[in-house]
Amino acid sequence: MKRFFIKYAIILFLFISYQLSGAILGFDETNIVFNEDSLNKDVLWSSHYNLTEKGLSVSADTGNVQHNLWIKSHVIPVGLAFRPISSVNINVTVNGELGDTFPHNVYFRFGCDRVHWSTWYKMPLSDSNICSKIFKYQLILPEPARTKYNDLMIEWRETDPVWTSDETAFCQWISENYPDFFTNEFPFIGYLQFYIDTWWLNYPVIVYSINTQMIWGVGGLMTIPDNGIEPDTESKWHFDLR
Protein backbone atom coordinates (compact mmCIF):
# COMPACT_ATOMS: atom_id res chain seq x y z
CA MET A 1 0.00 0.00 0.00
CA LYS A 2 2.86 2.38 0.86
CA ARG A 3 4.50 1.75 -2.53
CA PHE A 4 1.15 2.50 -4.25
CA PHE A 5 0.84 5.93 -2.62
CA ILE A 6 4.50 6.80 -3.25
CA LYS A 7 4.19 5.92 -6.97
CA TYR A 8 1.08 7.99 -7.54
CA ALA A 9 2.37 10.85 -5.41
CA ILE A 10 5.36 11.04 -7.77
CA ILE A 11 3.04 11.01 -10.81
CA LEU A 12 0.92 13.79 -9.28
CA PHE A 13 4.02 15.87 -8.52
CA LEU A 14 5.30 15.48 -12.08
CA PHE A 15 1.87 16.33 -13.48
CA ILE A 16 1.69 19.58 -11.47
CA SER A 17 5.28 20.46 -12.42
CA TYR A 18 4.60 19.93 -16.12
CA GLN A 19 1.38 21.96 -16.00
CA LEU A 20 3.20 24.87 -14.38
CA SER A 21 5.88 24.75 -17.08
CA GLY A 22 3.34 24.78 -19.93
CA ALA A 23 4.06 21.16 -20.84
CA ILE A 24 1.91 18.02 -21.09
CA LEU A 25 2.52 14.94 -18.95
CA GLY A 26 0.96 11.64 -19.96
CA PHE A 27 0.41 8.29 -18.26
CA ASP A 28 -0.65 5.35 -20.45
CA GLU A 29 -1.51 1.96 -18.96
CA THR A 30 -2.46 -1.31 -20.65
CA ASN A 31 -3.43 -4.47 -18.81
CA ILE A 32 -3.28 -7.70 -20.82
CA VAL A 33 -5.43 -10.22 -18.95
CA PHE A 34 -5.24 -13.79 -20.21
CA ASN A 35 -8.86 -14.84 -20.49
CA GLU A 36 -10.98 -15.43 -23.56
CA ASP A 37 -13.46 -12.66 -22.79
CA SER A 38 -11.11 -9.67 -22.73
CA LEU A 39 -7.90 -10.73 -24.47
CA ASN A 40 -6.81 -8.67 -27.49
CA LYS A 41 -6.81 -10.91 -30.58
CA ASP A 42 -3.38 -9.59 -31.62
CA VAL A 43 -1.66 -10.94 -28.48
CA LEU A 44 0.32 -14.03 -29.53
CA TRP A 45 2.16 -16.82 -27.68
CA SER A 46 4.16 -19.98 -28.36
CA SER A 47 2.49 -23.35 -28.87
CA HIS A 48 3.46 -24.79 -25.46
CA TYR A 49 1.11 -22.34 -23.71
CA ASN A 50 -2.57 -23.14 -23.18
CA LEU A 51 -5.22 -20.50 -22.49
CA THR A 52 -7.16 -21.69 -19.44
CA GLU A 53 -9.63 -20.20 -16.97
CA LYS A 54 -6.74 -19.18 -14.72
CA GLY A 55 -4.54 -17.71 -17.42
CA LEU A 56 -1.86 -18.68 -19.91
CA SER A 57 -0.41 -21.91 -18.54
CA VAL A 58 2.21 -24.57 -19.17
CA SER A 59 1.97 -27.92 -17.42
CA ALA A 60 4.92 -29.81 -15.92
CA ASP A 61 4.36 -33.05 -17.81
CA THR A 62 6.06 -32.39 -21.16
CA GLY A 63 9.19 -34.37 -20.31
CA ASN A 64 12.65 -33.33 -19.18
CA VAL A 65 13.18 -31.09 -22.23
CA GLN A 66 13.77 -27.35 -22.45
CA HIS A 67 11.29 -25.27 -24.43
CA ASN A 68 11.46 -21.65 -25.51
CA LEU A 69 8.27 -19.95 -24.28
CA TRP A 70 7.31 -16.53 -25.63
CA ILE A 71 4.48 -14.01 -25.51
CA LYS A 72 4.14 -11.08 -27.92
CA SER A 73 1.86 -8.17 -27.05
CA HIS A 74 -0.38 -6.28 -29.43
CA VAL A 75 0.82 -2.91 -30.71
CA ILE A 76 0.25 -0.21 -28.07
CA PRO A 77 -0.03 3.48 -29.04
CA VAL A 78 1.73 5.94 -26.78
CA GLY A 79 1.62 9.74 -26.74
CA LEU A 80 -0.69 12.18 -28.47
CA ALA A 81 -1.80 12.36 -32.09
CA PHE A 82 -0.79 15.99 -32.57
CA ARG A 83 2.60 15.73 -30.82
CA PRO A 84 4.48 12.42 -30.57
CA ILE A 85 6.98 11.79 -27.79
CA SER A 86 10.77 11.46 -27.80
CA SER A 87 11.22 9.86 -24.38
CA VAL A 88 9.26 7.54 -22.10
CA ASN A 89 9.64 5.67 -18.83
CA ILE A 90 8.40 2.10 -19.32
CA ASN A 91 7.31 -0.32 -16.58
CA VAL A 92 6.23 -3.91 -17.35
CA THR A 93 4.85 -6.23 -14.66
CA VAL A 94 4.27 -9.94 -15.34
CA ASN A 95 1.80 -11.47 -12.85
CA GLY A 96 0.99 -15.11 -12.19
CA GLU A 97 2.29 -18.32 -10.69
CA LEU A 98 5.78 -17.80 -12.01
CA GLY A 99 8.32 -19.49 -9.77
CA ASP A 100 11.75 -18.03 -9.16
CA THR A 101 13.17 -17.78 -12.69
CA PHE A 102 10.23 -17.03 -15.01
CA PRO A 103 10.40 -14.99 -17.21
CA HIS A 104 14.05 -14.57 -18.11
CA ASN A 105 13.71 -11.73 -20.60
CA VAL A 106 11.36 -8.86 -21.41
CA TYR A 107 11.98 -6.83 -24.58
CA PHE A 108 10.30 -3.92 -26.31
CA ARG A 109 10.52 -2.24 -29.68
CA PHE A 110 9.14 1.09 -30.88
CA GLY A 111 7.95 2.52 -34.16
CA CYS A 112 6.26 5.50 -35.77
CA ASP A 113 3.83 3.98 -38.28
CA ARG A 114 2.92 0.37 -37.21
CA VAL A 115 4.93 -0.97 -40.17
CA HIS A 116 8.60 -0.16 -39.55
CA TRP A 117 10.20 -0.99 -36.21
CA SER A 118 13.35 -0.49 -34.21
CA THR A 119 15.33 -3.47 -32.99
CA TRP A 120 14.27 -5.15 -29.73
CA TYR A 121 15.64 -3.67 -26.48
CA LYS A 122 16.02 -5.75 -23.33
CA MET A 123 14.47 -4.37 -20.15
CA PRO A 124 16.37 -4.94 -16.88
CA LEU A 125 14.64 -6.70 -14.00
CA SER A 126 13.74 -4.24 -11.23
CA ASP A 127 11.86 -6.34 -8.66
CA SER A 128 10.93 -10.00 -8.38
CA ASN A 129 8.97 -12.56 -6.36
CA ILE A 130 7.17 -15.81 -7.20
CA CYS A 131 3.96 -13.92 -8.12
CA SER A 132 5.25 -10.96 -10.13
CA LYS A 133 8.29 -9.71 -12.02
CA ILE A 134 8.79 -5.99 -12.68
CA PHE A 135 10.97 -4.67 -15.51
CA LYS A 136 11.82 -1.00 -16.12
CA TYR A 137 13.46 1.01 -18.89
CA GLN A 138 13.90 4.69 -19.72
CA LEU A 139 13.94 5.29 -23.47
CA ILE A 140 15.30 8.66 -24.62
CA LEU A 141 15.87 9.37 -28.30
CA PRO A 142 18.90 11.55 -29.09
CA GLU A 143 18.34 14.90 -30.78
CA PRO A 144 20.01 13.78 -34.06
CA ALA A 145 17.18 11.25 -34.49
CA ARG A 146 14.91 14.21 -35.33
CA THR A 147 17.26 16.13 -37.65
CA LYS A 148 15.74 15.06 -40.98
CA TYR A 149 12.23 15.13 -39.48
CA ASN A 150 12.67 18.72 -38.32
CA ASP A 151 14.08 19.77 -41.69
CA LEU A 152 11.05 18.32 -43.46
CA MET A 153 8.74 20.04 -40.99
CA ILE A 154 10.06 23.43 -42.18
CA GLU A 155 9.30 22.40 -45.77
CA TRP A 156 5.80 21.17 -44.80
CA ARG A 157 4.91 24.39 -43.01
CA GLU A 158 5.70 26.30 -46.19
CA THR A 159 2.72 24.49 -47.79
CA ASP A 160 0.35 26.36 -45.45
CA PRO A 161 -1.24 23.41 -43.61
CA VAL A 162 -4.45 24.11 -41.69
CA TRP A 163 -2.76 23.46 -38.34
CA THR A 164 1.02 23.64 -38.17
CA SER A 165 1.10 21.81 -34.82
CA ASP A 166 -0.62 18.70 -36.21
CA GLU A 167 2.19 16.15 -36.52
CA THR A 168 -0.13 13.37 -37.69
CA ALA A 169 -0.97 15.51 -40.72
CA PHE A 170 2.74 16.23 -41.11
CA CYS A 171 3.58 12.50 -41.11
CA GLN A 172 0.90 11.85 -43.69
CA TRP A 173 2.49 14.56 -45.86
CA ILE A 174 5.89 12.88 -45.41
CA SER A 175 4.49 9.49 -46.45
CA GLU A 176 3.05 11.03 -49.63
CA ASN A 177 6.08 13.08 -50.61
CA TYR A 178 8.94 11.02 -49.13
CA PRO A 179 7.49 7.48 -49.04
CA ASP A 180 10.72 5.80 -47.90
CA PHE A 181 11.35 8.16 -44.98
CA PHE A 182 9.99 5.96 -42.18
CA THR A 183 11.79 2.88 -43.51
CA ASN A 184 15.00 3.95 -41.80
CA GLU A 185 14.09 6.99 -39.70
CA PHE A 186 12.67 6.78 -36.16
CA PRO A 187 12.35 10.41 -35.03
CA PHE A 188 9.78 9.74 -32.28
CA ILE A 189 8.01 7.02 -30.30
CA GLY A 190 4.50 6.40 -31.62
CA TYR A 191 3.94 2.74 -30.74
CA LEU A 192 5.41 0.14 -28.41
CA GLN A 193 5.29 -3.64 -28.58
CA PHE A 194 6.55 -6.12 -25.98
CA TYR A 195 8.08 -9.60 -26.23
CA ILE A 196 8.57 -11.91 -23.25
CA ASP A 197 10.52 -15.12 -23.44
CA THR A 198 12.18 -17.73 -21.25
CA TRP A 199 13.73 -21.17 -21.38
CA TRP A 200 11.40 -23.48 -19.48
CA LEU A 201 12.27 -26.87 -17.99
CA ASN A 202 9.46 -29.01 -16.60
CA TYR A 203 7.82 -26.85 -13.94
CA PRO A 204 4.28 -25.42 -13.98
CA VAL A 205 3.78 -21.79 -15.00
CA ILE A 206 0.61 -19.69 -15.20
CA VAL A 207 0.66 -16.10 -16.48
CA TYR A 208 -2.37 -14.16 -15.22
CA SER A 209 -1.65 -10.79 -16.80
CA ILE A 210 0.95 -8.40 -18.18
CA ASN A 211 0.66 -4.78 -17.13
CA THR A 212 2.45 -2.00 -19.03
CA GLN A 213 2.79 1.59 -17.83
CA MET A 214 4.32 4.47 -19.78
CA ILE A 215 5.05 7.91 -18.36
CA TRP A 216 6.02 10.66 -20.80
CA GLY A 217 6.02 14.40 -21.33
CA VAL A 218 5.93 16.80 -24.29
CA GLY A 219 5.89 20.54 -24.78
CA GLY A 220 2.46 22.12 -24.52
CA LEU A 221 2.89 25.18 -26.76
CA MET A 222 0.94 25.03 -30.03
CA THR A 223 -0.41 27.19 -32.84
CA ILE A 224 -4.08 27.97 -33.55
CA PRO A 225 -5.64 26.20 -36.60
CA ASP A 226 -6.33 28.53 -39.54
CA ASN A 227 -9.91 27.25 -39.89
CA GLY A 228 -10.78 28.28 -36.34
CA ILE A 229 -11.94 24.79 -35.38
CA GLU A 230 -10.98 23.50 -31.92
CA PRO A 231 -7.93 21.25 -32.44
CA ASP A 232 -7.82 17.64 -31.28
CA THR A 233 -5.24 17.58 -28.49
CA GLU A 234 -6.43 14.43 -26.70
CA SER A 235 -6.47 11.56 -29.22
CA LYS A 236 -3.77 8.89 -29.03
CA TRP A 237 -1.12 8.58 -31.71
CA HIS A 238 -2.68 6.78 -34.71
CA PHE A 239 -0.53 7.40 -37.80
CA ASP A 240 -0.70 4.07 -39.66
CA LEU A 241 0.99 3.03 -42.92
CA ARG A 242 -0.46 -0.48 -43.10
Side-chain angles (χ1 to χ4, degrees), residues 176-231:
E176 294 168 1
N177 292 274
Y178 300 90
D180 296 328
F181 178 83
F182 289 108
T183 303
N184 299 307
E185 296 290 332
F186 297 90
F188 57 80
I189 306 158
Y191 301 97
L192 290 169
Q193 189 172 36
F194 298 92
Y195 184 86
I196 297 167
D197 79 346
T198 193
W199 285 101
W200 175 86
L201 179 60
N202 202 32
Y203 60 87
V205 169
I206 302 177
V207 181
Y208 298 155
S209 64
I210 300 172
N211 177 267
T212 69
Q213 297 178 342
M214 285 76 75
I215 302 174
W216 49 266
V218 293
L221 297 177
M222 68 187 77
T223 61
I224 299 173
D226 289 345
N227 59 12
I229 297 176
E230 183 75 18

Coordinates of all heavy atoms in Angstrom, one line a residue, residues 176-231:
E176 N 3.5 10.8 -48.2 CA 3.0 11.0 -49.6 C 4.2 11.6 -50.5 O 4.3 11.3 -51.7 CB 1.9 12.0 -49.6 CG 0.6 11.4 -49.0 CD -0.5 12.5 -48.8 OE1 -0.2 13.7 -49.1 OE2 -1.5 12.1 -48.3
N177 N 5.0 12.4 -49.9 CA 6.1 13.1 -50.6 C 7.5 12.4 -50.5 O 8.3 12.6 -51.3 CB 6.2 14.5 -50.2 CG 4.9 15.3 -50.6 OD1 4.9 15.9 -51.6 ND2 4.0 15.4 -49.6
Y178 N 7.7 11.7 -49.4 CA 8.9 11.0 -49.1 C 8.6 9.6 -48.6 O 8.8 9.3 -47.4 CB 9.8 11.8 -48.1 CG 10.2 13.2 -48.6 CD1 9.4 14.3 -48.3 CD2 11.3 13.4 -49.3 CE1 9.7 15.5 -48.7 CE2 11.7 14.7 -49.7 CZ 10.9 15.7 -49.4 OH 11.2 17.0 -49.8
P179 N 8.1 8.7 -49.5 CA 7.5 7.5 -49.0 C 8.5 6.5 -48.3 O 8.0 5.6 -47.6 CB 6.9 6.9 -50.3 CG 7.6 7.6 -51.4 CD 7.9 9.0 -50.9
D180 N 9.8 6.7 -48.5 CA 10.7 5.8 -47.9 C 11.3 6.3 -46.6 O 12.1 5.7 -45.9 CB 11.9 5.6 -48.8 CG 11.5 4.8 -50.1 OD1 10.5 4.0 -50.0 OD2 12.1 5.1 -51.2
F181 N 10.8 7.5 -46.2 CA 11.4 8.2 -45.0 C 11.3 7.3 -43.7 O 12.3 7.1 -43.1 CB 10.6 9.5 -44.7 CG 11.1 10.2 -43.5 CD1 12.3 11.0 -43.6 CD2 10.5 10.1 -42.3 CE1 12.7 11.7 -42.4 CE2 11.0 10.7 -41.1 CZ 12.1 11.5 -41.2
F182 N 10.1 6.7 -43.4 CA 10.0 6.0 -42.2 C 10.6 4.5 -42.3 O 10.5 3.8 -41.3 CB 8.5 5.9 -41.8 CG 8.0 7.2 -41.3 CD1 7.1 8.0 -42.1 CD2 8.4 7.8 -40.1 CE1 6.6 9.2 -41.6 CE2 7.9 9.0 -39.6 CZ 7.1 9.7 -40.4
T183 N 11.1 4.2 -43.4 CA 11.8 2.9 -43.5 C 13.0 2.8 -42.6 O 13.3 1.8 -42.0 CB 12.2 2.6 -45.0 OG1 11.0 2.7 -45.8 CG2 12.9 1.2 -45.1
N184 N 13.7 3.9 -42.6 CA 15.0 4.0 -41.8 C 15.0 5.0 -40.7 O 16.0 5.0 -39.9 CB 16.2 4.2 -42.7 CG 16.3 3.1 -43.8 OD1 16.4 1.9 -43.4 ND2 16.4 3.5 -45.1
E185 N 14.1 5.9 -40.7 CA 14.1 7.0 -39.7 C 13.1 6.7 -38.6 O 11.9 6.3 -38.8 CB 13.8 8.3 -40.4 CG 14.8 8.8 -41.4 CD 16.1 9.2 -40.8 OE1 16.1 9.6 -39.6 OE2 17.1 9.1 -41.5
F186 N 13.5 6.9 -37.3 CA 12.7 6.8 -36.2 C 12.8 8.0 -35.3 O 13.4 8.0 -34.3 CB 13.1 5.5 -35.4 CG 12.9 4.3 -36.1 CD1 14.0 3.8 -36.9 CD2 11.7 3.6 -36.1 CE1 13.8 2.6 -37.6 CE2 11.5 2.4 -36.8 CZ 12.6 1.9 -37.6
P187 N 12.2 9.1 -35.7 CA 12.4 10.4 -35.0 C 11.5 10.6 -33.8 O 11.7 11.5 -33.0 CB 11.9 11.4 -36.1 CG 10.9 10.7 -36.9 CD 11.4 9.3 -37.0
F188 N 10.6 9.6 -33.5 CA 9.8 9.7 -32.3 C 9.3 8.4 -31.9 O 9.5 7.4 -32.6 CB 8.6 10.7 -32.5 CG 7.7 10.4 -33.7 CD1 6.7 9.4 -33.6 CD2 7.9 11.1 -34.9 CE1 5.9 9.1 -34.7 CE2 7.1 10.8 -36.0 CZ 6.1 9.8 -35.9
I189 N 8.6 8.3 -30.8 CA 8.0 7.0 -30.3 C 6.5 7.1 -30.4 O 5.8 7.8 -29.7 CB 8.4 6.8 -28.8 CG1 9.9 6.9 -28.7 CG2 7.9 5.5 -28.3 CD1 10.3 7.2 -27.2
G190 N 5.9 6.4 -31.4 CA 4.5 6.4 -31.6 C 3.8 5.2 -31.1 O 2.6 5.2 -30.7
Y191 N 4.5 4.0 -31.2 CA 3.9 2.7 -30.7 C 5.0 1.9 -30.0 O 6.2 2.1 -30.3 CB 3.5 1.9 -31.9 CG 2.4 2.6 -32.8 CD1 2.8 3.3 -33.9 CD2 1.1 2.5 -32.4 CE1 1.8 3.9 -34.7 CE2 0.1 3.2 -33.2 CZ 0.5 3.8 -34.3 OH -0.5 4.5 -35.1
L192 N 4.5 1.1 -29.1 CA 5.4 0.1 -28.4 C 4.8 -1.3 -28.6 O 3.6 -1.4 -28.7 CB 5.5 0.5 -26.9 CG 6.3 1.7 -26.5 CD1 6.1 2.1 -25.1 CD2 7.8 1.6 -26.8
Q193 N 5.7 -2.2 -28.6 CA 5.3 -3.6 -28.6 C 6.3 -4.4 -27.7 O 7.5 -4.1 -27.7 CB 5.3 -4.2 -30.0 CG 4.7 -5.6 -30.1 CD 4.5 -6.1 -31.5 OE1 5.3 -5.8 -32.4 NE2 3.4 -6.8 -31.8
F194 N 5.8 -5.4 -27.0 CA 6.5 -6.1 -26.0 C 6.7 -7.6 -26.3 O 5.7 -8.2 -26.9 CB 5.9 -5.9 -24.6 CG 5.9 -4.5 -24.1 CD1 4.8 -3.7 -24.4 CD2 7.0 -3.9 -23.5 CE1 4.8 -2.4 -24.0 CE2 7.0 -2.6 -23.1 CZ 5.9 -1.8 -23.4
Y195 N 7.8 -8.2 -26.0 CA 8.1 -9.6 -26.2 C 8.7 -10.2 -25.0 O 9.7 -9.7 -24.4 CB 9.0 -9.7 -27.4 CG 9.3 -11.1 -27.9 CD1 8.5 -11.8 -28.7 CD2 10.4 -11.8 -27.4 CE1 8.8 -13.1 -29.1 CE2 10.7 -13.1 -27.8 CZ 9.9 -13.7 -28.7 OH 10.2 -15.0 -29.1
I196 N 8.1 -11.3 -24.5 CA 8.6 -11.9 -23.3 C 8.9 -13.3 -23.6 O 8.2 -14.1 -24.2 CB 7.4 -11.9 -22.2 CG1 7.1 -10.4 -21.9 CG2 7.8 -12.6 -21.0 CD1 5.8 -10.2 -21.1
D197 N 10.2 -13.7 -23.2 CA 10.5 -15.1 -23.4 C 11.4 -15.7 -22.3 O 11.9 -15.0 -21.5 CB 11.2 -15.3 -24.8 CG 12.7 -14.9 -24.8 OD1 13.1 -14.2 -23.8 OD2 13.4 -15.2 -25.7
T198 N 11.4 -17.0 -22.3 CA 12.2 -17.7 -21.3 C 12.4 -19.1 -21.7 O 11.7 -19.7 -22.6 CB 11.4 -17.8 -19.9 OG1 12.3 -18.2 -18.9 CG2 10.2 -18.7 -20.0
W199 N 13.5 -19.7 -21.2 CA 13.7 -21.2 -21.4 C 13.1 -21.9 -20.2 O 13.4 -21.6 -19.1 CB 15.2 -21.5 -21.5 CG 15.8 -21.1 -22.8 CD1 16.5 -20.0 -23.1 CD2 15.6 -21.8 -24.0 NE1 16.8 -19.9 -24.4 CE2 16.3 -21.0 -25.1 CE3 15.0 -23.0 -24.4 CZ2 16.3 -21.4 -26.4 CZ3 15.1 -23.4 -25.7 CH2 15.7 -22.6 -26.7
W200 N 12.2 -22.8 -20.5 CA 11.4 -23.5 -19.5 C 11.7 -25.0 -19.4 O 11.9 -25.6 -20.4 CB 9.9 -23.3 -19.8 CG 9.0 -24.0 -19.0 CD1 8.4 -23.6 -17.8 CD2 8.4 -25.3 -19.2 NE1 7.6 -24.5 -17.3 CE2 7.5 -25.6 -18.1 CE3 8.5 -26.2 -20.2 CZ2 6.8 -26.7 -18.0 CZ3 7.8 -27.4 -20.2 CH2 6.9 -27.7 -19.1
L201 N 11.9 -25.5 -18.2 CA 12.3 -26.9 -18.0 C 11.4 -27.5 -16.9 O 11.6 -27.4 -15.7 CB 13.7 -27.0 -17.6 CG 14.3 -28.4 -17.3 CD1 14.1 -29.3 -18.6 CD2 15.7 -28.4 -16.9
N202 N 10.3 -28.1 -17.4 CA 9.5 -29.0 -16.6 C 9.0 -28.5 -15.2 O 9.2 -29.2 -14.2 CB 10.2 -30.4 -16.5 CG 9.3 -31.5 -16.1 OD1 8.1 -31.5 -16.6 ND2 9.7 -32.5 -15.4
Y203 N 8.5 -27.3 -15.2 CA 7.8 -26.8 -13.9 C 6.6 -26.0 -14.4 O 6.6 -25.4 -15.4 CB 8.8 -26.0 -13.0 CG 9.3 -24.8 -13.6 CD1 8.6 -23.6 -13.5 CD2 10.6 -24.8 -14.2 CE1 9.2 -22.4 -14.1 CE2 11.1 -23.6 -14.8 CZ 10.4 -22.5 -14.7 OH 10.9 -21.3 -15.2
P204 N 5.5 -26.1 -13.6 CA 4.3 -25.4 -14.0 C 4.4 -23.9 -13.9 O 5.0 -23.3 -13.0 CB 3.3 -25.9 -13.0 CG 4.1 -26.3 -11.8 CD 5.4 -26.8 -12.3
V205 N 3.8 -23.3 -14.9 CA 3.8 -21.8 -15.0 C 2.4 -21.4 -15.4 O 1.8 -22.0 -16.3 CB 4.8 -21.3 -16.0 CG1 4.6 -19.8 -16.3 CG2 6.2 -21.5 -15.6
I206 N 1.9 -20.3 -14.8 CA 0.6 -19.7 -15.2 C 0.8 -18.2 -15.2 O 1.2 -17.6 -14.2 CB -0.6 -20.0 -14.3 CG1 -0.8 -21.5 -14.2 CG2 -1.9 -19.4 -14.8 CD1 -1.9 -21.9 -13.2
V207 N 0.6 -17.6 -16.4 CA 0.7 -16.1 -16.5 C -0.8 -15.5 -16.4 O -1.6 -15.8 -17.3 CB 1.3 -15.7 -17.8 CG1 1.4 -14.2 -17.9 CG2 2.7 -16.3 -17.9
Y208 N -1.0 -14.8 -15.4 CA -2.4 -14.2 -15.2 C -2.5 -12.9 -16.1 O -3.5 -12.8 -16.8 CB -2.6 -13.7 -13.8 CG -2.6 -14.8 -12.7 CD1 -2.3 -14.5 -11.4 CD2 -2.9 -16.1 -13.1 CE1 -2.3 -15.5 -10.5 CE2 -2.9 -17.1 -12.1 CZ -2.6 -16.8 -10.8 OH -2.6 -17.8 -9.8
S209 N -1.5 -12.1 -16.1 CA -1.7 -10.8 -16.8 C -0.3 -10.2 -17.0 O 0.7 -10.5 -16.3 CB -2.5 -9.8 -16.0 OG -1.9 -9.5 -14.8
I210 N -0.2 -9.2 -17.9 CA 1.0 -8.4 -18.2 C 0.5 -7.0 -18.2 O -0.4 -6.6 -19.0 CB 1.6 -8.7 -19.5 CG1 2.1 -10.2 -19.5 CG2 2.8 -7.8 -19.8 CD1 2.6 -10.7 -20.9
N211 N 1.0 -6.2 -17.3 CA 0.7 -4.8 -17.1 C 1.8 -3.9 -17.7 O 3.0 -4.1 -17.3 CB 0.4 -4.4 -15.7 CG 0.0 -3.0 -15.5 OD1 0.9 -2.2 -15.2 ND2 -1.2 -2.6 -15.6
T212 N 1.5 -2.9 -18.5 CA 2.4 -2.0 -19.0 C 2.0 -0.6 -18.6 O 0.9 -0.2 -18.7 CB 2.6 -2.1 -20.6 OG1 1.4 -1.6 -21.2 CG2 2.8 -3.5 -21.0
Q213 N 3.0 0.2 -18.2 CA 2.8 1.6 -17.8 C 3.9 2.4 -18.5 O 5.0 2.1 -18.5 CB 2.9 1.8 -16.3 CG 1.8 1.0 -15.5 CD 1.9 1.2 -14.0 OE1 3.0 1.6 -13.5 NE2 0.9 0.9 -13.3
M214 N 3.4 3.5 -19.1 CA 4.3 4.5 -19.8 C 4.1 5.9 -19.3 O 2.9 6.4 -19.3 CB 4.1 4.4 -21.3 CG 4.7 3.2 -22.0 SD 3.7 1.7 -21.8 CE 2.4 2.0 -22.9
I215 N 5.1 6.5 -18.8 CA 5.0 7.9 -18.4 C 5.9 8.8 -19.3 O 7.1 8.4 -19.6 CB 5.6 8.1 -16.9 CG1 4.7 7.2 -16.0 CG2 5.5 9.5 -16.4 CD1 5.3 7.2 -14.5
W216 N 5.3 9.8 -19.8 CA 6.0 10.7 -20.8 C 5.6 12.1 -20.7 O 4.6 12.4 -20.0 CB 5.7 10.1 -22.2 CG 4.2 9.9 -22.5 CD1 3.5 8.8 -22.3 CD2 3.3 10.9 -22.9 NE1 2.2 9.0 -22.6 CE2 2.0 10.3 -23.0 CE3 3.3 12.3 -23.2 CZ2 0.9 11.0 -23.3 CZ3 2.2 13.0 -23.5 CH2 1.0 12.3 -23.6
G217 N 6.4 13.0 -21.3 CA 6.0 14.4 -21.3 C 6.4 15.0 -22.6 O 7.4 14.6 -23.3
V218 N 5.6 16.0 -23.1 CA 5.9 16.8 -24.3 C 5.6 18.3 -24.0 O 4.9 18.6 -23.1 CB 5.1 16.3 -25.5 CG1 5.5 14.9 -25.9 CG2 3.6 16.4 -25.2
G219 N 6.2 19.1 -24.9 CA 5.9 20.5 -24.8 C 4.4 20.8 -25.1 O 3.8 20.2 -25.9
G220 N 3.9 21.8 -24.4 CA 2.5 22.1 -24.5 C 2.1 23.3 -25.4 O 1.0 23.6 -25.7
L221 N 3.1 24.0 -25.9 CA 2.9 25.2 -26.8 C 2.4 24.7 -28.1 O 3.0 23.7 -28.7 CB 4.1 26.0 -26.9 CG 4.6 26.7 -25.6 CD1 5.9 27.5 -25.9 CD2 3.6 27.6 -25.0
M222 N 1.5 25.4 -28.7 CA 0.9 25.0 -30.0 C 0.4 26.2 -30.7 O 0.1 27.3 -30.1 CB -0.1 23.9 -29.9 CG -1.4 24.4 -29.2 SD -2.6 23.1 -28.8 CE -1.8 22.4 -27.4
T223 N 0.2 26.1 -32.1 CA -0.4 27.2 -32.8 C -1.9 27.0 -32.9 O -2.5 26.0 -32.4 CB 0.1 27.2 -34.3 OG1 -0.2 25.9 -34.9 CG2 1.6 27.4 -34.3
I224 N -2.6 28.0 -33.4 CA -4.1 28.0 -33.6 C -4.4 27.6 -35.0 O -3.8 28.2 -35.9 CB -4.7 29.3 -33.2 CG1 -4.4 29.7 -31.8 CG2 -6.2 29.3 -33.5 CD1 -4.9 31.1 -31.4
P225 N -5.3 26.6 -35.2 CA -5.6 26.2 -36.6 C -6.2 27.4 -37.4 O -7.0 28.2 -36.9 CB -6.7 25.1 -36.4 CG -6.4 24.6 -35.0 CD -6.0 25.8 -34.2
D226 N -5.9 27.4 -38.7 CA -6.3 28.5 -39.5 C -7.8 28.5 -39.8 O -8.4 29.6 -40.0 CB -5.6 28.4 -40.9 CG -4.2 28.8 -40.8 OD1 -3.8 29.4 -39.8 OD2 -3.4 28.5 -41.7
N227 N -8.5 27.3 -39.6 CA -9.9 27.3 -39.9 C -10.7 27.6 -38.7 O -12.0 27.6 -38.7 CB -10.3 25.9 -40.4 CG -9.9 24.7 -39.4 OD1 -9.6 25.0 -38.3 ND2 -10.0 23.5 -39.9
G228 N -10.1 27.9 -37.5 CA -10.8 28.3 -36.3 C -11.4 27.2 -35.6 O -12.1 27.4 -34.5
I229 N -11.3 25.9 -36.1 CA -11.9 24.8 -35.4 C -11.1 24.4 -34.2 O -9.8 24.4 -34.3 CB -12.1 23.6 -36.4 CG1 -13.1 24.0 -37.5 CG2 -12.6 22.4 -35.7 CD1 -13.3 23.0 -38.6
E230 N -11.7 24.0 -33.1 CA -11.0 23.5 -31.9 C -10.1 22.3 -32.3 O -10.6 21.3 -32.8 CB -12.0 23.1 -30.8 CG -11.3 22.7 -29.5 CD -10.8 23.8 -28.7 OE1 -11.2 25.0 -29.0 OE2 -10.0 23.6 -27.8
P231 N -8.8 22.4 -32.1 CA -7.9 21.3 -32.4 C -8.1 20.1 -31.5 O -8.5 20.2 -30.4 CB -6.5 21.9 -32.3 CG -6.7 22.9 -31.3 CD -8.0 23.5 -31.5

